[in-house]
Amino acid sequence: MSKFFPYARQSIDQSDIEAVKESLSQSLITRGEKTLAFEEALAKKVSAKWAVTFTSATTGLYAAFQAADVSSFDRFITTPNSFIATVAAGMRLGAKPLFVDIDRNNGSLDVEALKEHVSMPMSRGRIVLAPVHFAGIAHDMAAIDKSLKGPDYVIIEDAAHAIGSNYPDGTPVGSCTHSHMTVFSFHAIKTITAAEGGCVTTNDEGYYKRLLQIRNSGIVRSASDPWYYEVKEITGNYHMTEMQAALGLSQLNRLDSFAQKRRQIVSWYRNRLKNVRFFDESYDARSCYHLMCVQIDFEALGKSRTEFMKELHEAGVGSQYHYIPLYRHPAVAKVSGDIAHNYPEMEGYYKQALSLPLYYDLTEEDVEYICGVINKALTK
Ligand SMILES: Cc1ncc(COP(=O)(O)O)c(C=O)c1O
């Protein structure tokens, strides 16, 4: 085996390397001009008023939930098809997650099923909704926003997968026209990377100021005395470094070409793979895919998913599955109970899910090879 194709990988070019090098010569190597420039460029790119960077999307989500004063009184609604960070943010503040089953055409929460959860009477608190734009396919946030009108609610979009994607009306994910805050991830395998990192976008000045305070250990400085400060709330230190911001900014400049290439790779897969279920093709034009998800009926094939993945791995093709339903993790089940039977779509999806290599540097020949390996594994 000469080459190995992981399911995801960063693309670092000379412009990224130069940008990071340059940041190291600054007098401030954290909390400096690169961070401000990255935030300004991010806000502009996604048409939001403000962007606040964080050490990760995990800390960004936590800060967003804290800024929204989420508590155990709120009805915290989200999808089971996500990474733990989505629910951890609410759970750390005492809110118990209420999961909505998913739509297997896009892997995200089913908006019709969401309406039922929203319409159940409430005696206290608000609805806190955290939709996840799974794999990079953006929800129709205008429709979600409309379905929530009535009860007091907060929407925090988990867009860890979706920088560069658009909503059905063509506006960019992160613009927060139909939500209070949106959170992005810049982890190494995400569409753009700062090695680790995240950000929260918002159009609400109150949330913006609170996010800055939460990122900086809850500190508020005195207007009259530059040495005096007070801690207003218990939070943490969630600043990214200048080197990370420099890398993030350089990668943001490459986002359009990343998005175009990702769409191209998805179309190569669609044309070559037989006997797998893809997400609906109608999403392709407006999505910057983070994951190349397919669904395979392993039971009918007579191979377990693990056997199938091993076969791929031995031929140099990496894969993964996204996600183990959140309610199946012991840390969540402790709060939610044994509820898998309530989620037939999520359970059906989980059995069949597989994520294939998708990253900027893949060539058409690479995808041709990968699909050959997969099509061979699909024959019994
Ligand atoms: C949907 C989702 N939300 C949040 C996160 C957390 O991102 P980070 O690794 O930047 O903390 C991830 C990471 O994989 C994710 O996939």
Side-chain angles (χ1 to χ4, degrees), residues 26 28-37 240 242:
Q26 295 173 187
L28 292 180
I29 56 168
T30 188
R31 308 178 196 192
E33 64 195 67
K34 289 287 184 286
T35 301
L36 289 173
M240 68 163 53
E242 285 287 282

Side-chain angles (χ1 to χ4, degrees), residues 56-58 61 82-83 85-86 132 158 160-161 185-187 190 197 323:
S56 64
T58 300
L61 277 161
S82 191
F83 184 64
T86 314
V132 176
D158 182 339
H161 296 186
S185 169
F186 310 127
H187 176 262
K190 294 299 192 292
Y323 283 99

Side-chain angles (χ1 to χ4, degrees), residues 139-151:
H139 270 292
D140 183 346
M141 290 308 299
I144 289 183
D145 192 17
K146 209 162 131 197
S147 74
L148 286 182
K149 289 269 186 283

Side-chain angles (χ1 to χ4, degrees), residues 191-208:
T191 299
I192 68 166
T193 186
E196 296 278 2
C199 89
V200 184
T201 59
T202 187
N203 296 324
D204 180 307
E205 193 169 5
Y207 286 137
Y208 170 62

Side-chain angles (χ1 to χ4, degrees), residues 22 48 122 131 240 252 272 335 367 374:
E22 190 207 318
M122 289 178 70
M240 68 163 53
L252 188 64
R272 285 171 174 81
V335 177
V367 176
I374 295 166

Side-chain angles (χ1 to χ4, degrees), residues 326-338:
L326 285 170
Y327 49 70
R328 282 179 170 262
H329 292 295
V332 180
K334 209 163 59 183
V335 177
S336 296
D338 181 5

Side-chain angles (χ1 to χ4, degrees), residues 317-379:
V317 177
S319 59
Q320 182 53 284
Y321 43 92
H322 298 91
Y323 283 99
I324 299 161
L326 285 170
Y327 49 70
R328 282 179 170 262
H329 292 295
V332 180
K334 209 163 59 183
V335 177
S336 296
D338 181 5
I339 53 172
H341 55 278
N342 293 332
Y343 300 94
E345 297 303 318
M346 178 72 236
E347 287 295 305
Y349 174 82
Y350 172 49
K351 273 193 201 142
Q352 300 191 354
L354 197 66
S355 302
L356 305 174
L358 177 61
Y359 50 89
Y360 181 74
D361 292 321
L362 279 177
T363 65
E364 189 164 11
E365 290 69 43
D366 295 337
V367 176
E368 176 79 27
Y369 171 78
I370 292 165
C371 291
V373 170
I374 295 166
N375 283 331
K376 186 164 165 238
L378 283 167
T379 57

